[in-house]
Amino acid sequence: MLPLVLLTDTMKIIFLACLAAVAVATPQFEDRVVALLRDDRVANEDGTFSYALEADNGINTAVEGVVGSAGQINQAGSYTYTLADGTQAVVTFVANENGFQPQSSILPTPHPLPAHVFELLEIAERQRAAGIVFN
């Protein structure tokens, strides 16, 4: 970047106008204290636990954890928060030896497969059943 001394007056004005535009465009966040309406927590010595939190800004969460088959902690629960349009987003989940598995209407879904892909999958299945192997 050039030192400000080497810039012409017009360039300085443009530079300062750009800085001002960036400062004005920066999102302004509201300084607001969020109050907890509910805070229930239980932690047992065997590793099981549960907690439920609710805040006055619409955020809610409830989770339970139990010891899994391999000694891991399996969790199940949900969380809710308010979207920009004012509706509530609810996500339920299970986290266990199969990984994190969320379910919600707000999660993206893959595009549907075209019809010809189903035909290709059927052909491949028939080839596997016939013992045809491609290397």
Side-chain angles (χ1 to χ4, degrees), residues 6 11 25 27-28 35 43 49 53-54 59 76 82 86 89 96 100 113-114 118 129 131:
L6 299 177
M11 292 172 75
Q28 304 299 315
F49 70 91
L53 301 170
E54 181 179 355
I59 295 175
T82 306
N96 57 23
F100 181 70
L113 294 175
F118 292 109

Side-chain angles (χ1 to χ4, degrees), residues 2-134:
L2 292 174
L4 215 49
V5 183
L6 299 177
L7 299 175
T8 65
D9 288 338
T10 304
M11 292 172 75
K12 288 178 186 176
I13 291 171
I14 292 172
F15 180 74
L16 291 174
C18 289
L19 282 178
V22 168
V24 169
T26 302
Q28 304 299 315
F29 296 103
E30 178 183 325
D31 273 345
R32 176 170 113 70
V33 175
V34 176
L36 280 180
L37 304 174
R38 179 175 154 204
D39 184 355
D40 299 328
R41 301 171 194 231
V42 176
N44 300 312
E45 291 183 21
D46 63 355
T48 60
F49 70 91
S50 67
Y51 66 84
L53 301 170
E54 181 179 355
D56 69 348
N57 63 357
I59 295 175
N60 292 300
T61 185
V63 179
E64 290 186 358
V66 297
V67 178
S69 60
Q72 80 280 4
I73 299 297
N74 293 339
Q75 298 181 31
S78 67
Y79 54 92
T80 304
Y81 59 96
T82 306
L83 298 172
D85 65 2
T87 61
Q88 291 288 315
V90 179
V91 178
T92 59
F93 67 89
V94 172
N96 57 23
E97 58 276 350
N98 298 317
F100 181 70
Q101 304 152 50
Q103 293 183 349
S104 176
S105 62
I106 66 167
L107 296 175
T109 57
H111 295 289
L113 294 175
H116 72 276
V117 172
F118 292 109
E119 183 180 334
L120 292 172
L121 291 171
E122 289 174 3
I123 291 170
E125 185 56 39
R126 285 194 305 265
Q127 289 173 340
R128 273 192 291 279
I132 300 171
V133 178
F134 297 97

